[in-house]
Structure formats: C-alpha cells, structure tokens
Amino acid sequence: MKLEHWIIVVFLALCAGMTGVFVAGNWSVTHPVETASGLHELVHHDLDLSADQEAELELIEHRFAARKAELEQKLRAANLALAGAMEADKSYSPAVQAAIDDFHTAMGEMQKVTIEHVFEMREILTEEQAIVFDAEVVRALTEL
C-alpha cells in the first residue's frame, strides 16, 4: 500500500474515532444519562430521603449501573465497527451505514433505559420531593 493510502486510512480511522468521541460528548451533555447523574446528586443531597427511600434508591442505582455498563460496551463496539467499516470501505458504504445504525440503536436503547431509570427513581419520592425532582428533570433536559 502506498504511503498516501496509509495516510488516508489513518485519517479516516481518526475521523471515525473523533466522531464517536464528539457524538458521545455532545450526546451526554443533553442526554438523559447526564440528567440521571445530576438527579442522583439532587436526590442524595437535597431531598432528605428517609432510610427506606435511601435503601430503595441504592437497589435502583445498582440495577441501572449494570445495565448502563452493558449499553456503554455496545456503544464502544458500535463505534469500533464504524471505524473498521470506514477504514475498509473508504466511502459511505452499506457497511458504514449499518455501523451508524447500530450505534444509533445502542444510543436509543441507552436513552430508553435511562428514562425508565429516572421514572423508577421518581416512584420512591414523596409528592413534595417529586415536585423538586420534576423541576430538575425539566431544567436538565431543556438546558442548552
């Protein structure tokens, strides 16, 4: 392979990696995963949970953490597949399109699981706590 071909391959691989980092970075700013993280701070520090609520929340968080780690692995694998397809095809090929679709599917799955988690946390709150919680959800999702 000629030097200029290697340069193109390396450039495309870097672009694919940077695209993944950029998408993941921008996605996390407004994505519900970030919202859930901020909500954890709110719930643990500002809502004065009872001992029973704290115990329930701990179980909820452990379940979510396991599922989140699994989905993050899917996102990494999809990004690697995208990089590989771009490197191999050097065009917007069906393989590249499929890899993008796989990444979006994993990202959508993460969003759904996170929203479910947010509602699961909300279920353990009192009416007064839920008002504060809901306001934080709206603020986090509408913040630019």
Short mmCIF file of all heavy atoms in Angstrom, two decimals, residues 93-130:
data_model
loop_
_atom_site.label_atom_id
_atom_site.label_comp_id
_atom_site.label_asym_id
_atom_site.label_seq_id
_atom_site.Cartn_x
_atom_site.Cartn_y
_atom_site.Cartn_z
N SER A 93 -20.56 3.50 2.55
CA SER A 93 -20.99 2.20 2.04
C SER A 93 -22.13 1.63 2.88
O SER A 93 -22.44 2.15 3.97
CB SER A 93 -19.81 1.24 2.09
OG SER A 93 -19.47 0.97 3.45
N PRO A 94 -22.73 0.55 2.43
CA PRO A 94 -23.75 -0.13 3.24
C PRO A 94 -23.20 -0.57 4.61
O PRO A 94 -23.91 -0.51 5.60
CB PRO A 94 -24.15 -1.33 2.38
CG PRO A 94 -23.93 -0.86 0.98
CD PRO A 94 -22.68 0.00 1.06
N ALA A 95 -21.94 -0.98 4.65
CA ALA A 95 -21.34 -1.39 5.93
C ALA A 95 -21.22 -0.19 6.88
O ALA A 95 -21.46 -0.31 8.08
CB ALA A 95 -19.98 -2.04 5.70
N VAL A 96 -20.83 0.96 6.34
CA VAL A 96 -20.74 2.18 7.15
C VAL A 96 -22.13 2.57 7.64
O VAL A 96 -22.32 2.89 8.82
CB VAL A 96 -20.07 3.33 6.36
CG1 VAL A 96 -20.21 4.66 7.09
CG2 VAL A 96 -18.60 3.01 6.10
N GLN A 97 -23.10 2.54 6.75
CA GLN A 97 -24.48 2.87 7.12
C GLN A 97 -25.00 1.93 8.21
O GLN A 97 -25.64 2.37 9.17
CB GLN A 97 -25.38 2.83 5.90
CG GLN A 97 -25.07 3.93 4.89
CD GLN A 97 -25.85 3.76 3.60
OE1 GLN A 97 -26.99 3.35 3.61
NE2 GLN A 97 -25.20 4.06 2.48
N ALA A 98 -24.71 0.64 8.07
CA ALA A 98 -25.15 -0.34 9.07
C ALA A 98 -24.48 -0.07 10.42
O ALA A 98 -25.14 -0.18 11.47
CB ALA A 98 -24.84 -1.75 8.59
N ALA A 99 -23.20 0.27 10.40
CA ALA A 99 -22.49 0.57 11.64
C ALA A 99 -23.07 1.81 12.32
O ALA A 99 -23.21 1.86 13.55
CB ALA A 99 -21.00 0.74 11.37
N ILE A 100 -23.42 2.80 11.53
CA ILE A 100 -24.07 4.01 12.08
C ILE A 100 -25.41 3.65 12.69
O ILE A 100 -25.75 4.09 13.80
CB ILE A 100 -24.22 5.09 10.99
CG1 ILE A 100 -22.85 5.64 10.59
CG2 ILE A 100 -25.14 6.23 11.47
CD1 ILE A 100 -22.88 6.51 9.35
N ASP A 101 -26.18 2.83 11.98
CA ASP A 101 -27.48 2.39 12.51
C ASP A 101 -27.32 1.63 13.81
O ASP A 101 -28.11 1.81 14.75
CB ASP A 101 -28.22 1.54 11.47
CG ASP A 101 -28.69 2.35 10.27
OD1 ASP A 101 -28.74 3.60 10.37
OD2 ASP A 101 -29.00 1.73 9.24
N ASP A 102 -26.31 0.77 13.89
CA ASP A 102 -26.05 0.02 15.12
C ASP A 102 -25.73 0.96 16.28
O ASP A 102 -26.19 0.77 17.41
CB ASP A 102 -24.92 -0.98 14.93
CG ASP A 102 -25.32 -2.16 14.06
OD1 ASP A 102 -26.54 -2.36 13.82
OD2 ASP A 102 -24.40 -2.89 13.61
N PHE A 103 -24.92 1.98 15.99
CA PHE A 103 -24.57 2.96 17.03
C PHE A 103 -25.83 3.69 17.50
O PHE A 103 -26.07 3.84 18.69
CB PHE A 103 -23.53 3.96 16.51
CG PHE A 103 -23.08 4.92 17.57
CD1 PHE A 103 -22.08 4.58 18.46
CD2 PHE A 103 -23.67 6.18 17.70
CE1 PHE A 103 -21.66 5.47 19.45
CE2 PHE A 103 -23.26 7.07 18.68
CZ PHE A 103 -22.26 6.70 19.55
N HIS A 104 -26.66 4.12 16.56
CA HIS A 104 -27.89 4.84 16.92
C HIS A 104 -28.85 3.95 17.69
O HIS A 104 -29.53 4.42 18.61
CB HIS A 104 -28.56 5.41 15.68
CG HIS A 104 -27.82 6.57 15.10
ND1 HIS A 104 -28.06 7.06 13.84
CD2 HIS A 104 -26.81 7.33 15.60
CE1 HIS A 104 -27.26 8.08 13.61
NE2 HIS A 104 -26.49 8.26 14.65
N THR A 105 -28.91 2.68 17.34
CA THR A 105 -29.76 1.74 18.07
C THR A 105 -29.29 1.62 19.52
O THR A 105 -30.09 1.68 20.45
CB THR A 105 -29.75 0.36 17.39
OG1 THR A 105 -30.30 0.50 16.08
CG2 THR A 105 -30.55 -0.65 18.18
N ALA A 106 -27.98 1.46 19.70
CA ALA A 106 -27.43 1.37 21.06
C ALA A 106 -27.66 2.66 21.84
O ALA A 106 -28.00 2.63 23.03
CB ALA A 106 -25.94 1.03 21.00
N MET A 107 -27.50 3.80 21.17
CA MET A 107 -27.72 5.09 21.82
C MET A 107 -29.18 5.24 22.22
O MET A 107 -29.50 5.71 23.32
CB MET A 107 -27.29 6.22 20.88
CG MET A 107 -27.17 7.55 21.56
SD MET A 107 -26.31 8.84 20.61
CE MET A 107 -26.92 8.66 18.98
N GLY A 108 -30.10 4.83 21.34
CA GLY A 108 -31.52 4.89 21.66
C GLY A 108 -31.88 3.98 22.81
O GLY A 108 -32.70 4.34 23.67
N GLU A 109 -31.27 2.82 22.85
CA GLU A 109 -31.50 1.89 23.95
C GLU A 109 -31.04 2.49 25.27
O GLU A 109 -31.73 2.39 26.29
CB GLU A 109 -30.74 0.59 23.65
CG GLU A 109 -31.29 -0.62 24.34
CD GLU A 109 -30.55 -1.89 23.91
OE1 GLU A 109 -29.99 -1.95 22.80
OE2 GLU A 109 -30.54 -2.83 24.72
N MET A 110 -29.89 3.15 25.23
CA MET A 110 -29.38 3.82 26.43
C MET A 110 -30.34 4.90 26.89
O MET A 110 -30.63 5.04 28.09
CB MET A 110 -27.99 4.43 26.17
CG MET A 110 -27.43 5.21 27.34
SD MET A 110 -26.89 4.21 28.71
CE MET A 110 -25.24 3.83 28.16
N GLN A 111 -30.87 5.66 25.96
CA GLN A 111 -31.80 6.72 26.32
C GLN A 111 -33.06 6.14 26.96
O GLN A 111 -33.52 6.63 27.99
CB GLN A 111 -32.17 7.54 25.09
CG GLN A 111 -33.05 8.73 25.42
CD GLN A 111 -33.30 9.60 24.21
OE1 GLN A 111 -33.28 9.15 23.08
NE2 GLN A 111 -33.54 10.87 24.46
N LYS A 112 -33.61 5.10 26.39
CA LYS A 112 -34.82 4.48 26.95
C LYS A 112 -34.58 3.94 28.34
O LYS A 112 -35.39 4.16 29.26
CB LYS A 112 -35.30 3.35 26.03
CG LYS A 112 -35.90 3.85 24.74
CD LYS A 112 -36.25 2.69 23.82
CE LYS A 112 -36.67 3.19 22.46
NZ LYS A 112 -36.92 2.08 21.53
N VAL A 113 -33.48 3.22 28.53
CA VAL A 113 -33.16 2.66 29.83
C VAL A 113 -32.97 3.76 30.86
O VAL A 113 -33.40 3.65 32.01
CB VAL A 113 -31.91 1.75 29.73
CG1 VAL A 113 -31.36 1.40 31.10
CG2 VAL A 113 -32.26 0.48 28.95
N THR A 114 -32.36 4.86 30.45
CA THR A 114 -32.12 5.97 31.36
C THR A 114 -33.43 6.65 31.76
O THR A 114 -33.64 6.97 32.93
CB THR A 114 -31.15 6.98 30.74
OG1 THR A 114 -29.95 6.29 30.41
CG2 THR A 114 -30.84 8.11 31.70
N ILE A 115 -34.32 6.85 30.80
CA ILE A 115 -35.61 7.46 31.11
C ILE A 115 -36.41 6.55 32.06
O ILE A 115 -37.02 7.03 33.01
CB ILE A 115 -36.41 7.74 29.81
CG1 ILE A 115 -35.72 8.81 28.97
CG2 ILE A 115 -37.85 8.14 30.13
CD1 ILE A 115 -35.62 10.18 29.62
N GLU A 116 -36.36 5.26 31.81
CA GLU A 116 -37.01 4.31 32.73
C GLU A 116 -36.43 4.45 34.13
O GLU A 116 -37.16 4.42 35.13
CB GLU A 116 -36.84 2.88 32.23
CG GLU A 116 -37.64 2.55 30.99
CD GLU A 116 -37.26 1.22 30.36
OE1 GLU A 116 -36.32 0.55 30.85
OE2 GLU A 116 -37.93 0.84 29.38
N HIS A 117 -35.11 4.61 34.20
CA HIS A 117 -34.43 4.76 35.48
C HIS A 117 -34.88 6.04 36.20
O HIS A 117 -35.11 6.03 37.41
CB HIS A 117 -32.92 4.78 35.25
CG HIS A 117 -32.12 5.07 36.46
ND1 HIS A 117 -32.13 4.27 37.59
CD2 HIS A 117 -31.25 6.08 36.75
CE1 HIS A 117 -31.33 4.78 38.50
NE2 HIS A 117 -30.79 5.88 38.00
N VAL A 118 -35.01 7.11 35.44
CA VAL A 118 -35.46 8.38 36.02
C VAL A 118 -36.85 8.20 36.64
O VAL A 118 -37.11 8.61 37.77
CB VAL A 118 -35.44 9.51 34.97
CG1 VAL A 118 -36.18 10.75 35.46
CG2 VAL A 118 -34.00 9.87 34.60
N PHE A 119 -37.74 7.56 35.89
CA PHE A 119 -39.09 7.34 36.43
C PHE A 119 -39.08 6.38 37.61
O PHE A 119 -39.87 6.53 38.55
CB PHE A 119 -40.04 6.84 35.33
CG PHE A 119 -40.51 7.94 34.43
CD1 PHE A 119 -40.21 7.91 33.08
CD2 PHE A 119 -41.25 9.01 34.92
CE1 PHE A 119 -40.63 8.92 32.23
CE2 PHE A 119 -41.68 10.03 34.08
CZ PHE A 119 -41.37 9.99 32.73
N GLU A 120 -38.20 5.40 37.60
CA GLU A 120 -38.10 4.47 38.72
C GLU A 120 -37.63 5.20 39.98
O GLU A 120 -38.16 4.97 41.08
CB GLU A 120 -37.14 3.33 38.37
CG GLU A 120 -37.17 2.20 39.36
CD GLU A 120 -36.30 1.03 38.95
OE1 GLU A 120 -35.46 1.16 38.02
OE2 GLU A 120 -36.44 -0.03 39.59
N MET A 121 -36.68 6.12 39.83
CA MET A 121 -36.24 6.92 40.99
C MET A 121 -37.40 7.78 41.50
O MET A 121 -37.61 7.91 42.70
CB MET A 121 -35.06 7.83 40.62
CG MET A 121 -33.76 7.11 40.45
SD MET A 121 -32.32 8.22 40.35
CE MET A 121 -32.71 9.26 38.97
N ARG A 122 -38.15 8.34 40.57
CA ARG A 122 -39.26 9.23 40.95
C ARG A 122 -40.30 8.50 41.79
O ARG A 122 -40.91 9.08 42.68
CB ARG A 122 -39.90 9.82 39.69
CG ARG A 122 -40.92 10.89 39.99
CD ARG A 122 -41.63 11.36 38.72
NE ARG A 122 -42.42 12.52 38.96
CZ ARG A 122 -43.61 12.51 39.58
NH1 ARG A 122 -44.11 11.38 40.03
NH2 ARG A 122 -44.28 13.64 39.75
N GLU A 123 -40.51 7.22 41.49
CA GLU A 123 -41.55 6.45 42.18
C GLU A 123 -41.34 6.36 43.69
O GLU A 123 -42.31 6.19 44.43
CB GLU A 123 -41.61 5.03 41.61
CG GLU A 123 -42.22 4.96 40.24
CD GLU A 123 -42.20 3.55 39.67
OE1 GLU A 123 -42.00 2.58 40.43
OE2 GLU A 123 -42.40 3.43 38.45
N ILE A 124 -40.12 6.47 44.16
CA ILE A 124 -39.87 6.33 45.60
C ILE A 124 -40.00 7.65 46.35
O ILE A 124 -39.90 7.68 47.57
CB ILE A 124 -38.48 5.71 45.87
CG1 ILE A 124 -37.36 6.68 45.49
CG2 ILE A 124 -38.33 4.37 45.18
CD1 ILE A 124 -36.00 6.30 46.02
N LEU A 125 -40.25 8.73 45.63
CA LEU A 125 -40.30 10.06 46.25
C LEU A 125 -41.69 10.40 46.78
O LEU A 125 -42.70 9.93 46.26
CB LEU A 125 -39.88 11.12 45.22
CG LEU A 125 -38.49 10.96 44.61
CD1 LEU A 125 -38.24 12.03 43.57
CD2 LEU A 125 -37.41 10.95 45.68
N THR A 126 -41.69 11.27 47.78
CA THR A 126 -42.95 11.82 48.25
C THR A 126 -43.44 12.84 47.22
O THR A 126 -42.69 13.22 46.31
CB THR A 126 -42.77 12.55 49.60
OG1 THR A 126 -41.92 13.68 49.40
CG2 THR A 126 -42.20 11.62 50.68
N GLU A 127 -44.64 13.31 47.38
CA GLU A 127 -45.20 14.29 46.45
C GLU A 127 -44.35 15.57 46.43
O GLU A 127 -44.07 16.12 45.36
CB GLU A 127 -46.64 14.62 46.87
CG GLU A 127 -47.49 15.14 45.74
CD GLU A 127 -48.94 15.24 46.15
OE1 GLU A 127 -49.53 14.22 46.52
OE2 GLU A 127 -49.47 16.37 46.09
N GLU A 128 -43.92 16.03 47.60
CA GLU A 128 -43.12 17.25 47.69
C GLU A 128 -41.75 17.05 47.04
O GLU A 128 -41.24 17.93 46.34
CB GLU A 128 -42.94 17.69 49.15
CG GLU A 128 -44.22 18.11 49.85
CD GLU A 128 -45.07 16.92 50.33
OE1 GLU A 128 -44.54 15.79 50.48
OE2 GLU A 128 -46.28 17.10 50.51
N GLN A 129 -41.13 15.90 47.28
CA GLN A 129 -39.83 15.60 46.69
C GLN A 129 -39.96 15.49 45.16
O GLN A 129 -39.07 15.94 44.43
CB GLN A 129 -39.28 14.29 47.25
CG GLN A 129 -38.87 14.37 48.71
CD GLN A 129 -38.60 13.00 49.31
OE1 GLN A 129 -39.20 11.99 48.90
NE2 GLN A 129 -37.72 12.95 50.30
N ALA A 130 -41.04 14.90 44.70
CA ALA A 130 -41.25 14.71 43.26
C ALA A 130 -41.36 16.05 42.54
O ALA A 130 -40.92 16.18 41.39
CB ALA A 130 -42.48 13.86 43.01
#
